[in-house]
């Protein structure tokens, strides 16, 4: 099994930025096809905040983060990023990266990724 490792979390003021990184997937040009970031705030279900379909090079974001978050991968494809700008307190949570071999679906649903490997996550705390 390959468990991804997330990093880059921390504390930020509202309006600030953080960039999360994720390494550990076995990456080829084609696989995994769909890579995604999820977050989980205390007492809530894990929610998808960004996905990247590596085959068609499309990205998807829910309305809550669209225009503020950007998912990308490094040129050598060994690292996935989540650039988070204009942070708000509701962005607080533990952030996880995950990947699956199939295409990305909309909305970004937890059950589409439940059978795949998850890391420990990285904590993001945004204060007002």
């Amino acid at each position: 099994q390959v468990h991804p490792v997330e990093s880059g979390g921390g504390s930020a003021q509202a309006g600030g930025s953080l960039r999360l990184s994720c390494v550990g997937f076995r990456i080829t040009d084609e696989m995994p096809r769909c890579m995604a970031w999820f977050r989980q705030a205390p007492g809530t279900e894990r929610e998808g905040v960004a996905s990247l379909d590596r085959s068609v090079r499309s990205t998807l974001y829910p309305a809550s983060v669209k225009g503020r978050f950007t998912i990308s991968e490094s040129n050598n494809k060994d690292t996935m990023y989540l650039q988070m700008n204009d942070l708000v307190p509701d962005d607080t949570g533990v952030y996880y990266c995950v990947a699956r071999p199939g295409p990305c679906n909309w909305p970004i649903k937890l059950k589409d990724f439940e059978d795949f490997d998850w890391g420990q996550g990285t904590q993001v705390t945004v204060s007002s």
Side-chain angles (χ1 to χ4, degrees):
Q1 281 186 321
V2 175
H3 292 281
V5 177
E6 303 91 346
S7 63
S11 298
Q13 295 278 338
S17 298
L18 287 171
R19 188 175 79 159
L20 307 183
S21 299
C22 172
V23 298
F25 295 111
R26 290 198 186 97
I27 301 288
T28 68
D29 285 345
E30 295 82 25
M31 288 295 174
R33 176 167 174 178
C34 181
M35 305 182 78
W37 286 94
F38 281 74
R39 71 183 177 194
Q40 188 167 24
T44 69
E45 187 174 90
R46 207 168 287 191
E47 64 166 338
V49 295
S51 70
L52 167 65
D53 190 313
R54 299 176 67 240
S55 177
V56 297
R57 309 308 302 176
S58 65
T59 57
L60 294 169
Y61 307 92
S64 57
V65 308
K66 194 170 186 177
R68 301 188 298 118
F69 287 13
T70 303
I71 185 172
S72 63
E73 62 178 349
S74 60
N75 288 338
N76 62 2
K77 300 176 173 55
D78 67 353
T79 305
M80 181 169 67
Y81 300 107
L82 184 68
Q83 178 67 44
M84 305 187 296
N85 298 329
D86 196 19
L87 287 163
V88 299
D90 282 349
D91 294 324
T92 294
V94 179
Y95 284 70
Y96 303 87
C97 61
V98 66
R100 56 180 248 142
C104 292
N105 296 320
W106 178 257
I108 308 167
K109 292 179 289 187
L110 176 62
K111 73 180 184 72
D112 287 344
F113 294 88
E114 282 179 329
D115 293 338
F116 302 101
D117 297 315
W118 293 78
Q120 295 298 308
T122 186
Q123 175 71 46
V124 171
T125 303
V126 183
S127 56
S128 57

